[in-house]
Amino acid sequence: MAQASGVKVQDVKDITRIERIGAHSHIRGLGLDDALEARLVSQGMVGQANARKAAGVILQMIRDGKIAGRAVLIAGQPGTGKTAIAMGMAQALGADTPFTTIAASEIFSLEMNKTEALTQAFRRSIGVRIKEETEIIEGEVVEIEIDRPAAGAAATAGKTGKLTLKTTEMETVYDLGQKMIDSLTKEKVQSGDVITIDKATGRISVLGRSFARSRDYDAMGASTKFVQCPEGELQKRKEVVHVVSLHEVDVINSRTQGFLALFSGDTGEIKSEVREQIDQKVAEWREEGKAEIVPGVLFIDEVHMLDIECFSFLNRALESDLAPVLVVATNRGITRIRGTNYKSPHGIPIDLLDRLLIISTTPYSDKEVKQILRIRCEEEDVEMTDDALALLTKVGMETSLRYAIHMIIASALVCAKRKGTQVDVEDIKRVYTLFVDVKRSTQFLQEYQSEFMFNEIQPADADMTDAQV
Amino acid sequence: MSALAPAGAKQTAIVSGGRRKVHTIMPDGSEMMEEFELQTDQLVVRKRRGKTVLGRELDWVYEVGLPPQRITIANETLAESGANPVFCRLDHIDRFEFRVRNLPYAKHNYSVTVDAAERKIVVRTANKKYYKCIAIEDMDRAGLPLDEHALAWEHENNTLIVQYRKPTQLIAAERQAAAARQKLGAADSDAPAKGEGDVQCPQQ
């Protein structure tokens, strides 16, 4: 019986597609009020009031869109919320502003040179808002039918499905592809909904529920909107305004068979002539009032991993009038610049540092750590007693915030094993003994180093006290 | 030049597969492809395609004839099911003919009218299964009004056949275009393309 219900739960999960929880999935914005003052706890952000306020000012700068080529450095110790602030900025900017996130080590590839990768990242972060005519399908869903292959059938067989749409005048049956089935289930489309489908991209938007279904005894939220069933033909041509990045335009124009490259993902290097041509065309559109530039943000995490060539490229690239706002983050102090023997603050050459606005993050206080842990407990759906949370906070202060966050889900599993509903001090203690943190691990290594591999022969001048134990 | 190929358009013709194929590149960069049966000089296919503002190439739009039937669903999104009615236009010398296949409903279901203001032929079904506004691009290009009396329709073998008599001006214009087409040679050569396989492949 228990097994049967377990299987059912899995089915439901498959339909609603629960989003996976990432390290920063609890962040929904910067948590600032209208006067750009940081609220104590808001939108998943806790503490770092000064850094958040500074990020808010930068955000205002980006929104105004007048200034190109500014750069911001977020510097701070590990686990002080650098990436969280960048994520918060991305969320606060909204979907229409391009926000590209890369880790500095991503640009080192054998297939593409470093500056090309950086140029592509730059151009991904500049949007062009333009009007395009697209073909859309607009209709009321009569029926969705999705067939799952029987258990044991090859997983590659995939699902097949049929979608019946109607207007006041006609009805059409569509065969569905895998991607469309996925997005239909994600949008939770059901019969009675009025939807539009962009034919080229397959993007679905639900306009609301049909008036004809308004008397159904469905559990409907207050936000349910009722709309008329569309008239006339199902397929229509419609002008839509959308934002495409310069890189996408580059890709479309760099190959003869155009749009196929967008889906294959492999773009390779793009000729500089193509880029010049596109820039010229975009400038033309701007003059004619057909298009608008939407400067976005390029966020480079772990920026100390860039080498001296990249840094000098950045110096130059930031001066172009089509440059996005560059946000970089690092957790290094004074360290070697990659590719040289020189040391520099944050591993960034002084000439580039001089062009950066620097935001620094500071370690969290115990109150803030407690608040963050509470938010993470909520995000990970874990219930915890106040005592356990206090203990976890203490652990977090003594070791690191990341270790404490990792302990949440581990202790929840331990708690579930003993059939408890709330994580208690006992569970935290148990997990603390099961998994060591960095400090304890280092201590252990120092004590027993000699018993690990390749320690049989000690250098002559080494301290032998450990080996004699 | 005719209404189909305005001044500045570049035309090339080849003969292959028993059809004379005429390819036109319009001054705005869009393309048109026409195919004529060699024996009867009847128009079998006319398709066009343009580019979006961003430079992306669009799919062929079939004005006359049927697109090749594909089974794959383009980039995994969706495609109309084969069970749906299929619309296609086939031309005759004296009339336009529109065929809607896969329409199994009885004859009294259909109503075909001319919407003169919108310049469209409107096909409706009483059971709300099929609806289509048919535009006749040739009439639009020639700027001729649509006339209810030129319209006739029939339903047999699960197919709805709508016919529209071509006005005399259009027939005359098409006869002229056909004569011009006979003179149109293969690319870069003055000799008209007559039979199959006589296309010159100029060396680089």
Side-chain angles (χ1 to χ4, degrees):
Chain A
M1 186 62 207
Q3 205 161 15
S5 67
V7 169
K8 240 180 202 164
V9 168
Q10 278 242 301
D11 259 356
V12 172
K13 267 186 187 164
D14 187 41
I15 290 166
T16 50
R17 272 289 173 111
I18 293 168
E19 271 180 42
R20 281 171 57 80
I21 299 166
H24 294 108
S25 51
H26 59 283
I27 286 159
R28 290 176 303 281
L30 278 174
L32 301 174
D33 58 18
D34 291 337
L36 289 184
E37 285 296 324
R39 292 196 203 95
L40 214 54
V41 180
S42 171
Q43 295 184 320
M45 292 293 246
V46 179
Q48 300 305 3
N50 271 327
R52 275 158 59 197
K53 225 187 282 175
V57 173
I58 304 286
L59 214 59
Q60 205 52 51
M61 199 165 92
I62 298 164
R63 284 213 186 99
D64 289 348
K66 290 210 178 70
I67 309 162
R70 285 305 153 90
V72 182
L73 168 70
I74 308 176
Q77 295 92 323
T80 49
K82 297 180 296 295
T83 314
I85 287 177
M87 291 300 208
M89 284 172 78
Q91 296 276 353
L93 277 173
D96 247 11
T97 311
F99 192 99
T100 318
T101 310
I102 61 167
S105 23
E106 264 175 54
I107 65 156
F108 296 96
S109 146
L110 285 178
E111 300 200 334
M112 202 186 279
N113 75 42
K114 290 174 277 187
T115 50
E116 171 72 16
L118 272 177
T119 312
Q120 287 194 4
F122 262 72
R123 291 180 75 86
R124 265 202 191 100
S125 322
I126 294 277
V128 183
R129 186 177 288 125
I130 197 162
K131 236 188 243 164
E132 255 197 311
E133 211 179 46
T134 52
E135 216 156 78
I136 59 157
I137 301 169
E138 188 180 34
E140 179 187 330
V141 179
V142 180
E143 191 180 13
I144 302 184
E145 198 183 304
I146 293 168
D147 303 320
R148 266 165 258 273
T156 48
K159 300 170 201 165
T160 53
K162 272 191 168 50
L163 171 71
T164 313
L165 290 178
K166 72 163 187 184
T167 66
T168 50
E169 304 283 355
M170 67 184 289
E171 209 175 281
T172 303
V173 184
Y174 293 93
D175 286 331
L176 301 175
Q178 186 66 46
K179 209 163 128 193
M180 189 52 74
I181 293 176
D182 286 349
S183 38
L184 280 170
T185 41
K186 205 165 136 201
E187 294 280 341
K188 299 186 188 105
V189 174
Q190 48 182 331
S191 58
D193 286 345
V194 176
I195 62 171
T196 62
I197 303 173
D198 187 332
K199 254 196 125 183
T201 60
R203 191 175 302 140
I204 300 173
S205 42
V206 180
L207 301 181
R209 281 192 68 77
S210 168
F211 269 119
R213 300 290 187 116
S214 61
R215 274 165 298 164
D216 284 5
Y217 294 105
D218 281 346
M220 281 177 293
S223 59
T224 312
K225 210 171 84 184
F226 287 103
V227 290
Q228 290 288 2
C229 180
E231 287 173 4
E233 284 175 282
L234 268 165
Q235 288 198 28
K236 293 178 181 124
R237 298 192 70 78
K238 209 174 187 182
E239 266 199 343
V240 286
V241 177
H242 59 169
V243 179
V244 286
S245 72
L246 279 181
H247 177 68
E248 281 173 294
V249 185
D250 287 350
V251 171
I252 290 167
N253 286 283
S254 67
R255 289 199 177 176
T256 35
Q257 65 277 60
F259 71 102
L260 283 176
L262 256 190
F263 299 107
S264 66
D266 170 37
T267 49
E269 295 208 357
I270 291 164
K271 287 192 197 116
S272 60
E273 294 95 78
V274 173
R275 292 214 170 101
E276 272 164 36
Q277 219 181 315
I278 302 288
D279 287 349
Q280 217 171 356
K281 223 194 243 172
V282 170
E284 244 170 62
W285 291 337
R286 274 173 84 186
E287 261 171 39
E288 292 165 15
K290 276 190 204 157
E292 213 181 306
I293 296 282
V294 188
V297 179
L298 172 60
F299 175 59
I300 306 181
D301 213 347
E302 314 280 338
V303 73
H304 50 266
M305 294 307 290
L306 291 181
D307 62 8
I308 187 79
E309 276 176 50
C310 299
F311 286 127
S312 56
F313 172 81
L314 284 184
N315 269 343
R316 182 78 194 81
L318 279 176
E319 278 165 16
S320 145
D321 59 344
L322 272 182
V325 171
L326 179 71
V327 179
V328 297
T330 179
N331 54 18
R332 301 295 159 99
I334 294 170
T335 184
R336 212 168 55 89
I337 302 169
R338 190 169 176 181
T340 67
N341 286 319
Y342 301 110
K343 281 196 168 182
S344 179
H346 310 296
I348 300 171
I350 297 290
D351 57 343
L352 180 58
L353 266 181
D354 205 27
R355 290 163 209 240
L356 298 175
L357 295 168
I358 302 177
I359 300 174
S360 63
T361 55
T362 46
Y364 290 111
S365 71
D366 53 351
K367 261 189 197 157
E368 287 160 353
V369 168
K370 190 170 192 172
Q371 193 59 50
I372 293 170
L373 288 172
R374 189 172 289 146
I375 291 173
R376 286 305 300 183
C377 281
E378 217 165 273
E379 183 73 18
E380 290 172 29
D381 225 357
V382 172
E383 273 185 50
M384 198 175 277
T385 61
D386 286 344
D387 288 347
L389 194 63
L391 177 64
L392 197 61
T393 310
K394 210 174 142 221
V395 170
M397 287 306 286
E398 272 167 23
T399 60
S400 74
L401 181 58
R402 286 222 166 88
Y403 177 72
I405 288 176
H406 285 320
M407 281 177 73
I408 295 176
I409 198 71
S411 52
L413 289 174
V414 169
C415 169
K417 266 276 171 278
R418 66 166 174 86
K419 299 207 166 59
T421 49
Q422 266 194 323
V423 174
D424 215 334
V425 179
E426 286 306 305
D427 304 313
I428 304 279
K429 275 187 185 159
R430 178 132 180 79
V431 171
Y432 188 73
T433 53
L434 279 177
F435 302 102
V436 293
D437 57 291
V438 180
K439 256 186 211 157
R440 276 184 290 158
S441 176
T442 322
Q443 201 184 351
F444 178 81
L445 282 181
Q446 274 167 353
E447 276 174 36
Y448 296 104
Q449 195 185 23
S450 58
E451 283 165 36
F452 281 78
M453 288 279 284
F454 307 121
N455 273 303
E456 299 86 357
I457 304 162
Q458 294 290 323
D461 58 335
D463 186 8
M464 298 297 276
T465 43
D466 277 350
Q468 279 156 7
V469 177
Chain B
M1 288 223 173
S2 68
L4 266 173
K10 279 205 302 198
Q11 275 193 320
T12 343
I14 58 158
V15 174
S16 83
R19 286 176 181 184
R20 183 188 303 277
K21 299 179 179 174
V22 182
H23 181 242
T24 314
I25 300 175
M26 303 291 174
D28 67 348
S30 64
E31 292 171 85
M32 180 174 77
M33 188 83 184
E34 288 172 300
E35 295 180 19
F36 299 89
E37 202 72 59
L38 258 193
Q39 248 93 53
T40 56
D41 207 30
Q42 195 185 352
L43 178 64
V44 196
V45 171
R46 181 189 288 154
K47 54 185 180 180
R48 303 162 162 279
R49 78 170 162 193
K51 280 183 176 174
T52 62
V53 202
L54 296 175
R56 182 176 305 171
E57 214 156 64
L58 294 167
D59 290 338
W60 286 105
V61 176
Y62 281 75
E63 202 174 289
V64 178
L66 264 184
Q69 299 295 307
R70 290 195 206 100
I71 329 140
T72 51
I73 297 175
N75 48 46
E76 298 254 289
T77 52
L78 81 177
E80 274 180 43
S81 160
N84 290 316
V86 180
F87 172 83
C88 88
R89 175 179 146 189
L90 289 171
D91 270 20
H92 293 272
I93 291 189
D94 60 336
R95 62 188 190 271
F96 302 110
E97 188 173 296
F98 308 92
R99 284 167 170 267
V100 190
R101 300 186 185 125
N102 264 347
L103 273 180
Y105 318 108
K107 191 176 175 183
H108 63 83
N109 249 316
Y110 308 100
S111 86
V112 183
T113 50
V114 166
D115 187 340
E118 287 284 319
R119 303 188 52 80
K120 297 235 163 84
I121 299 173
V122 184
V123 178
R124 281 194 185 82
T125 46
N127 59 358
K128 306 290 182 201
K129 289 293 182 190
Y130 188 76
Y131 175 83
K132 175 112 188 148
C133 295
I134 306 167
I136 311 178
E137 284 90 347
D138 299 66
M139 299 289 280
D140 293 346
R141 276 190 290 262
L144 297 168
L146 290 190
D147 180 15
E148 187 94 43
H149 299 293
L151 187 74
W153 64 278
E154 194 55 52
H155 181 264
E156 54 193 16
N157 301 329
N158 285 351
T159 306
L160 181 74
I161 305 164
V162 179
Q163 292 179 326
Y164 187 90
R165 206 169 351 99
K166 282 184 194 172
T168 43
Q169 300 102 299
L170 212 57
I171 298 177
E174 275 175 14
R175 200 169 292 142
Q176 267 182 6
R181 203 159 51 234
Q182 292 302 326
K183 287 194 206 115
L184 187 71
D188 304 323
S189 84
D190 295 328
K194 287 220 175 62
E196 212 167 310
D198 65 344
V199 184
Q200 297 286 317
C201 288
Q203 308 230 316
Q204 292 289 313

